[in-house]
Amino acid sequence: MKILIVEDERPTSTFLKRGLTEEGYSVDTAETATEADEMVFVNRYDLVILDVMLPGADGLTLCRRWRERGMSCPVLLLTGRDAVRDRVAGLDAGADDYLVKPFAFEELLARLRALLRRRTGELFEQELVVGPLTLDHSRREVKCRGEVLDITPREYSILEVLMQRVGQVVSRTLLWESVWETQSEPNSNVVDVNVGYLRKKLGDDSSMIKTIRGAGYRLEAHPDGN
Ligand code: CA
């Protein structure tokens, strides 16, 4: 799950980035409208957190422009204003939800999860099934033989990419680009470590994820021919 934070106030941006990264999301940041404009069209984000008060252009104008260009990614507005008129203006500009500053981080997380759930429900079929694994997009959970796996959002995303490409070799670079930050160099070791965690959580079914030497990983529905 990739999130873009558009906020010119460093302390807020740093705080949000740290918090969301700890939750397992991949986070990019932009400080100006121009920077945000470029990033939104170069990268594929699952959600944008957009501050209304920005240097250059305000968040509402930016959001309206993105919608006019056909960008459909959910936008959560951060606003310092609480007037009803401003809220309506935000929703009119095409934002999906808004939070009034100051807000509790827990509330931001709750809003964000709701938006992501709504989004994935619209985009994908509810369930993806591979062998003993069932990935439920609407609940954002994976079951293995009927038991819900205790996995982080990042491990969920890895499994999602592998399940969408079952039987195919998935390179570490593709996993990195799909799951981690786009602003940084691919880090194969981090990918390997997280796949390792995921295997551990799959227990007896860990052999479903094969390491393909020099190439990446492949998910097999029935690794032992069962
Ligand atoms: Ca601001």
Side-chain angles (χ1 to χ4, degrees):
M1 288 277 124
K2 268 187 206 168
I3 296 178
L4 175 66
I5 300 171
V6 188
E7 165 66 283
D8 58 309
E9 292 147 51
R10 278 276 171 82
T12 309
S13 176
T14 307
F15 163 75
L16 286 178
K17 178 168 181 167
R18 191 184 306 134
L20 292 173
T21 306
E22 277 169 12
E23 288 293 313
Y25 295 104
S26 297
V27 183
D28 286 348
T29 54
E31 291 189 0
T32 64
T34 316
E35 204 184 340
D37 244 352
E38 283 171 13
M39 295 179 70
V40 155
F41 285 95
V42 172
N43 304 296
R44 190 191 61 85
Y45 292 106
D46 297 292
L47 188 126
V48 178
I49 298 174
L50 176 62
D51 187 40
V52 171
M53 303 293 278
L54 290 170
D58 73 287
L60 294 181
T61 309
L62 204 55
C63 186
R64 195 174 294 114
R65 193 156 74 210
W66 290 343
R67 293 309 188 214
E68 281 167 5
R69 291 188 204 159
M71 190 200 79
S72 62
C73 153
V75 173
L76 174 62
L77 278 182
L78 300 182
T79 166
R81 316 158 174 179
D82 193 20
V84 172
R85 198 178 55 188
D86 290 329
R87 294 188 218 176
V88 172
L91 299 174
D92 275 350
D96 297 86
D97 201 357
Y98 61 87
L99 262 182
V100 178
K101 289 180 180 176
F103 51 84
F105 185 66
E106 284 303 316
E107 177 162 20
L108 174 89
L109 281 182
R111 301 284 186 97
L112 202 135
R113 279 194 294 261
L115 285 175
L116 290 170
R117 260 201 307 274
R118 204 156 84 196
R119 174 77 178 152
T120 46
E122 283 167 11
L123 278 183
F124 303 105
E125 286 182 28
Q126 291 289 91
E127 286 190 347
L128 200 59
V129 180
V130 175
L133 296 177
T134 306
L135 184 142
D136 184 331
H137 289 293
S138 63
R139 292 173 169 272
R140 301 199 56 70
E141 66 180 26
V142 180
K143 284 183 183 170
C144 185
R145 303 192 184 278
E147 295 282 323
V148 176
L149 293 178
D150 182 20
I151 54 177
T152 65
R154 204 153 270 175
E155 290 158 2
Y156 174 93
S157 298
I158 294 174
L159 210 44
E160 185 178 31
V161 174
L162 291 174
M163 288 175 78
Q164 284 166 343
R165 294 166 180 79
V166 62
Q168 302 171 26
V169 178
V170 177
S171 70
R172 290 179 173 84
T173 306
L174 177 69
L175 278 175
W176 178 266
E177 286 172 1
S178 312
V179 179
W180 274 269
E181 294 175 37
T182 49
Q183 287 167 325
S184 50
E185 283 297 305
N187 185 332
S188 301
N189 189 40
V190 171
V191 175
D192 292 344
V193 166
N194 278 270
V195 170
Y197 292 151
L198 197 50
R199 276 200 181 116
K200 221 168 258 175
K201 292 177 183 181
L202 288 174
D204 292 344
D205 294 299
S206 62
S207 63
M208 287 181 78
I209 305 178
K210 301 283 184 203
T211 302
I212 310 301
R213 195 184 287 256
Y217 294 99
R218 185 175 65 220
L219 185 72
E220 293 180 1
H222 304 288
D224 307 315
N226 300 323

